Amino acid sequence: MTSKKLVNSVEGCADDALAGLVACDPNLQLLQGHRVALRSDLDSLKGRVALLSGGGSGHEPAHAGFIGKGMLTGVIAGAVFTSPAVGSILAAIRAVAQAGTVGTLLIVKNYTGDRLNFGLAREQARAEGIPVEMVVIGDDSAFTVLKKAGRRGLCGTVLIHKVAGALAEAGVGLEEIAKQVSMVAKAMGTLGLSLSSCSVPGSKPTFELSADEVELGLGIHGEAGVRRIKMATADEIVRLMLDHMTDTSNASHVPVQRGSSVVMMVNNLGGLSFLELGIMADAAVRSLEGRGVKIARALVGTFMSALEMSGFSLTLLLADEPLLKLIDAETTAAAWPNVAKVSVTGRKRSRAAPSEPREAPGSTAAGGLASKRMALVLEQVCATLLGLEEHLNALDRAAGDGDCGTTHSRAARAIQGWLKEGPPPASPAHLLSKLSVLLLEKMGGSSGALYGLFLTAAAQPLKAKTDLPAWSAAMDAGLEAMQKYGKAAPGDRTMLDSLWAAGQELQAWKSPGADLFKVLTKAVKSAEAAAEATKNMEAGAGRASYISSARLDQPDPGAVAAAAILRAILEVLQNQ
């Protein structure tokens, strides 16, 4: 079965992809009759060397993404994973020559088809009197024994584009650019690893991997690598790759050793998530620096892909200060990242956390009757939530993720751990503020944020007074904050329904002579009734709002949890 691809046609996908890039970038133009993209300011290059590269499509953003001032003059694209036509390469050479350039350097990845077609176009152009040189880039560090075909051209070629582009922009001559980039290429190595293959439009995946395998040392055309290894952690994979790349017994190794300074490129092969790419980059930095290697520059992103392949490649280029100046030189190429022009190694990567604001005198006091009572209330609330874990998870499965009980249990265990550290503050405002911070850090999910908002806002009215009207005002403030940021309203089938119902009853505390327990008992009963009523509501907020109401025939777990918390508070206070 062929893979699904968002294309108009298999035959026209390479043309359409290049046309789309040019259509969205005023700095590029297509060469009529050819699959060639050129700088739109070509006439401004009179008297300078032109740089042309290319190869098969499917490696985007390479190669057209690297056209621009300070990088490539143009690219010639073939069909997917297919070398471009000789006629199109020759047309591109003629176009830049007729624009007044003083010579053309062809930057070619080391693949047989590319060498042949670019080489033939070069010979034809030279026969016409056009000065043309060609450098063939082979940066693959996969093969321990070199084959006759040599090292494959991989993502390191992009660094050659950058170095050559900076030299050309500086007015360096054709032969000197060719000489310098050839030397640079010898100090570079790339190794790829993938979790999956890729598939050319209209075709099946080029190879299959079992669930516990990864492919090491593969190229950029879906071909298999040098060996398969068992799935491992990011750190273990990077360590294995660096060991392979720098092993001096490996004929294609890159000569990086302790004390070396390198440009590091972590390249997404097309289908790796940005999360995974960041993890691999972190692992590469730590592993290299642990080996005593200085990372002078770090590039992380998608530079040369293999369609949708879920994998990455790691490139190391030995770099001195003159070379770094070329890497740092300005370019307008759309796909070149905004790289910091400072060393990665040696930079301070964290700063001290901000200091906590000073507490008002007496607000942090702990111990005493009030503190003991609050500890008892919290212990009962925790025990209640832990006992409800499975029930709340079961209710939550109707909305998809089924973790409401787990989330509340995580909060309960965090509070229990906090209580073991010492008695809670006697000040209600300080207690609620501390609980807010704790839940925001430990509870997680939207529930943690909502409880944190509620408690933070509720603490404010209690700073001045702690009588019954102040507690009612605290409930009002908490509910207002939850509605403001959570966007839920009463009747939306959320935890707010229970709290709102209780809050309406607690308004009675604002009346002179109000009875604490009588009002609180009514509030708890109203909260429990509201929680039960949520099973007949249509969800208007939260994840459940995306689920058909026909499937939501149980009470909202958040509302049930909130009502249970209020019941636990009431029971402890009544027993005092």
Side-chain angles (χ1 to χ4, degrees):
M1 179 179 177
T2 59
S3 60
K4 292 186 289 186
K5 293 283 191 294
L6 291 171
V7 299
N8 294 313
S9 68
V10 171
E11 297 77 13
C13 64
D15 293 289
D16 291 348
L18 191 60
L21 182 64
V22 173
C24 296
D25 190 344
N27 297 314
L28 304 181
Q29 288 181 327
L30 291 172
L31 189 61
Q32 290 183 3
H34 300 279
R35 199 183 290 127
V36 173
L38 298 166
R39 284 174 58 172
S40 58
D41 63 346
L42 205 58
D43 294 334
S44 69
L45 298 178
K46 290 180 181 179
R48 300 196 181 195
V49 173
L51 305 176
L52 296 177
S53 188
S57 298
H59 303 303
E60 291 73 19
H63 304 80
F66 300 106
I67 297 175
K69 182 179 180 181
M71 287 195 79
L72 297 177
T73 309
V75 303
I76 308 94
V80 175
F81 294 170
T82 304
S83 299
V86 174
S88 291
I89 301 171
L90 182 59
I93 296 172
R94 288 170 176 165
V96 297
Q98 292 170 17
T101 59
V102 295
T104 300
L105 178 64
L106 303 178
I107 302 173
V108 181
K109 298 189 301 301
N110 187 31
Y111 294 99
T112 302
D114 288 353
R115 289 198 318 270
L116 289 173
N117 290 2
F118 276 90
L120 181 54
R122 177 200 179 208
E123 293 303 319
Q124 291 179 342
R126 285 165 65 99
E128 296 175 8
I130 303 174
V132 183
E133 295 293 339
M134 186 169 94
V135 291
V136 178
I137 308 302
D139 57 312
D140 185 11
S141 291
F143 296 100
T144 56
V145 177
L146 285 184
K147 298 185 178 182
K148 185 176 181 180
R151 300 166 70 185
R152 295 172 294 189
L154 299 175
C155 189
T157 307
V158 174
L159 294 176
I160 300 301
H161 293 161
K162 184 64 182 66
V163 171
L167 290 169
E169 189 64 28
V172 177
L174 176 59
E175 292 185 359
E176 182 61 23
I177 295 176
K179 177 183 176 181
Q180 288 198 38
V181 297
S182 295
M183 291 296 295
V184 170
K186 292 178 181 178
M188 180 171 66
T190 298
L191 188 64
L193 179 136
S194 184
L195 310 178
S196 70
S197 177
C198 61
S199 55
V200 174
S203 302
K204 298 178 180 179
T206 52
F207 63 85
E208 297 290 340
L209 282 171
S210 63
D212 64 342
E213 289 182 323
V214 295
E215 193 82 11
L216 178 69
L218 72 173
I220 53 172
H221 300 100
E223 68 271 38
V226 292
R227 64 185 169 117
R228 292 183 179 181
I229 60 175
K230 291 298 182 181
M231 190 68 188
T233 67
D235 286 348
E236 291 168 341
I237 284 173
V238 167
R239 183 168 59 249
L240 175 67
M241 292 175 71
L242 289 175
D243 287 345
H244 186 93
M245 293 175 70
T246 60
D247 185 352
T248 54
S249 67
N250 174 0
S252 62
H253 76 280
V254 57
V256 171
Q257 55 191 347
R258 180 172 291 274
S260 294
S261 177
V262 301
V263 173
M264 179 191 78
M265 178 179 275
V266 182
N267 171 59
N268 189 345
L269 286 172
L272 202 68
S273 69
F274 282 96
L275 182 144
E276 292 166 285
L277 193 66
I279 293 171
M280 303 315 298
D282 176 61
V285 168
R286 286 187 286 103
S287 187
L288 282 168
E289 291 182 340
R291 297 166 187 245
V293 176
K294 176 185 176 182
I295 304 172
R297 301 290 185 272
L299 292 79
V300 181
T302 305
F303 306 104
M304 185 174 288
S305 66
L307 292 170
E308 81 282 21
M309 183 176 285
S310 179
F312 79 106
S313 64
L314 181 61
T315 299
L316 299 177
L317 168 64
L318 287 169
D320 54 16
E321 284 303 317
L323 182 57
L324 290 177
K325 288 182 179 179
L326 298 175
I327 294 293
D328 291 341
E330 295 297 324
T331 179
T332 60
W336 183 259
N338 183 21
V339 183
K341 298 176 182 179
V342 293
S343 175
V344 170
T345 298
R347 182 178 63 87
K348 190 175 181 180
R349 293 178 186 143
S350 64
R351 63 185 300 142
S355 58
E356 294 290 334
R358 288 188 175 184
E359 301 290 347
S363 65
T364 59
L369 182 60
S371 179
K372 291 179 180 178
R373 182 179 298 165
M374 289 177 179
L376 290 173
V377 168
L378 290 174
E379 287 168 359
Q380 182 62 35
V381 167
C382 291
T384 298
L385 292 177
L386 290 170
L388 286 173
E389 180 174 2
E390 290 304 320
H391 178 58
L392 294 176
N393 280 341
L395 293 177
D396 197 33
R397 290 188 189 103
D401 55 359
D403 67 345
C404 182
T406 302
T407 301
H408 281 79
S409 290
R410 187 160 54 240
R413 292 188 181 94
I415 294 172
Q416 287 178 330
W418 178 59
L419 290 174
K420 289 179 181 179
E421 296 174 3
S427 161
H430 189 58
L431 174 68
L432 297 189
S433 295
K434 286 292 186 182
L435 287 174
S436 169
V437 172
L438 185 68
L439 296 184
L440 286 169
E441 289 181 353
K442 304 295 185 180
M443 187 174 187
S446 57
S447 294
L450 288 169
Y451 279 117
L453 278 168
F454 179 87
L455 293 170
T456 298
Q460 305 314 306
L462 296 172
K463 288 181 176 179
K465 295 182 179 181
T466 58
D467 55 10
L468 292 183
W471 279 102
S472 179
M475 188 71 165
D476 292 343
L479 290 170
E480 182 181 355
M482 289 181 71
Q483 291 181 88
K484 180 179 180 180
Y485 295 103
K487 297 300 182 183
D492 280 344
R493 198 183 187 277
T494 69
M495 62 189 291
L496 180 68
D497 289 302
S498 293
L499 295 173
W500 179 266
Q504 298 310 294
E505 295 295 342
L506 295 183
Q507 295 299 313
W509 276 350
K510 296 176 182 177
S511 301
D515 183 273
L516 165 64
F517 291 110
K518 185 175 181 181
V519 173
L520 184 56
T521 300
K522 289 184 65 177
V524 171
K525 290 181 178 179
S526 292
E528 291 171 337
E532 182 64 20
T534 58
K535 69 180 181 182
N536 299 317
M537 296 178 185
E538 183 173 345
R543 185 179 283 114
S545 63
Y546 301 103
I547 309 297
S548 169
S549 59
R551 292 172 53 192
L552 300 173
D553 56 355
Q554 297 293 325
D556 176 72
V560 172
I565 291 171
L566 293 173
R567 171 61 67 179
I569 294 171
L570 173 62
E571 290 176 351
V572 174
L573 294 179
Q574 284 179 327
N575 292 328
Q576 292 300 302

